[in-house]
Amino acid sequence: MIEVEKKFTLNDSDIDRITQGTEFLGEKSFTDTYFDTPDYSLTKADKWLRLRDDRFELKLPMNQGKGSSNRELDQYEELESEDLIKKALGLTQEGTLAKNLELNTHKPFATITTHRRKYKKGDFTIDLDVMDFGYSIGEIELMVNSQSDMKIALDRILAFAKEQHLSLAPVRGKVIEYIKRNNSAHYKALKEAGVL
Ligand code: V4E
């Protein structure tokens, strides 16, 4: 199954409206620490390495975002095994991934705690994420069986959002927003690399 998702900015009345008639699936908090080299070699290549609580995860771009006509359908491969992550990053030293990151000057550049509430409305899954640095995002998701169904799913999400009177303006993800607020050199580097 493939997940198609779109992020929205939601105010309090949007949240009231969108969660009406939903099934509440649960809530959790997690802390992500994102890593990169001093010259931003990972994020400039749209690669996102994080420690989510106590587990490393790597998101790798599948359909190169650059120049893509529809960024919203960009997909990422997600690796969760330390060995696969080491291989994907070309880290070859003995020892844990954490040790390899240290030896290769991969340092944390952002630590973000998210409180996530999850809801279900028909086929749609709705995530409401509130971050500890004063930023919130809603995400509407649909699961599809094949790549060819992705555009239809995105159109369904957009139609649902319109019905709910949500703003369709582009939204910065939490990490991009964090970088914009905290490190203008990093933000500029991502723009110049064509990642944003
Ligand atoms: C893929 C990506 C980033 C990593 C964070 O991904 P995100 O989906 O925002 O985080 P989260 O916590 O909701 O992950 P989940 O729990 O769903 O796994 S940061 C930036 N990107 C890609 C990206 C990009 N290159 N450009 C723009 C404008 N947005 C996103």
Side-chain angles (χ1 to χ4, degrees):
M1 294 288 273
I2 306 169
E3 187 179 72
V4 178
E5 58 180 35
K6 172 134 181 70
K7 293 176 169 51
F8 297 90
T9 323
L10 304 175
N11 59 33
D12 287 348
S13 63
D14 291 331
I15 292 175
D16 284 348
R17 214 176 321 110
I18 200 174
T19 53
Q20 263 173 33
T22 55
E23 179 191 352
F24 178 60
L25 296 180
E27 60 190 318
K28 61 179 178 182
S29 289
F30 50 88
T31 297
D32 294 318
T33 297
Y34 283 85
F35 292 78
D36 208 342
T37 55
D39 59 351
Y40 314 121
S41 64
L42 294 186
T43 56
K44 278 196 328 191
D46 207 9
K47 297 175 182 177
W48 302 90
L49 173 65
R50 70 188 176 202
L51 185 61
R52 172 159 290 185
D53 295 329
D54 54 3
R55 190 187 170 101
F56 279 104
E57 300 175 346
L58 176 65
K59 291 199 188 202
L60 295 169
M62 286 171 77
N63 39 351
Q64 228 23 75
K66 269 189 212 176
S68 148
S69 60
N70 195 350
R71 280 227 58 143
E72 291 172 311
L73 293 178
D74 281 358
Q75 278 185 278
Y76 291 83
E77 181 183 6
E78 299 189 20
L79 303 182
E80 295 185 354
S81 130
E82 289 210 8
D83 283 343
L84 289 180
I85 294 174
K86 273 172 74 175
K87 224 179 186 174
L89 298 180
L91 301 171
T92 51
Q93 278 124 330
E94 287 289 304
T96 61
L97 174 57
K99 189 77 210 156
N100 270 256
L101 294 177
E102 210 179 299
L103 292 170
N104 290 277
T105 68
H106 290 70
K107 293 204 169 67
F109 66 86
T111 294
I112 302 169
T113 297
T114 299
H115 183 76
R116 175 171 292 172
R117 282 178 286 151
K118 229 181 209 327
Y119 300 84
K120 185 122 192 96
K121 194 168 198 166
D123 294 345
F124 298 101
T125 302
I126 302 164
D127 282 355
L128 300 182
D129 281 359
V130 178
M131 277 62 76
D132 61 347
F133 65 97
Y135 192 58
S136 311
I137 293 181
E139 225 170 71
I140 302 177
E141 302 165 0
L142 271 179
M143 299 301 290
V144 294
N145 285 315
S146 67
Q147 294 238 339
S148 56
D149 291 336
M150 290 177 72
K151 176 76 175 73
I152 296 167
L154 181 62
D155 288 345
R156 279 189 66 202
I157 292 174
L158 291 172
F160 175 65
K162 258 191 165 167
E163 234 174 72
Q164 301 285 323
H165 308 292
L166 302 182
S167 161
L168 299 180
V171 175
R172 272 189 291 276
K174 61 187 76 160
V175 188
I176 303 295
E177 181 66 18
Y178 183 97
I179 294 170
K180 184 167 192 293
R181 290 187 191 188
N182 292 288
N183 188 338
S184 53
H186 192 174
Y187 193 76
K188 187 163 169 266
L190 294 181
K191 277 204 138 175
E192 284 170 3
V195 171
L196 299 182

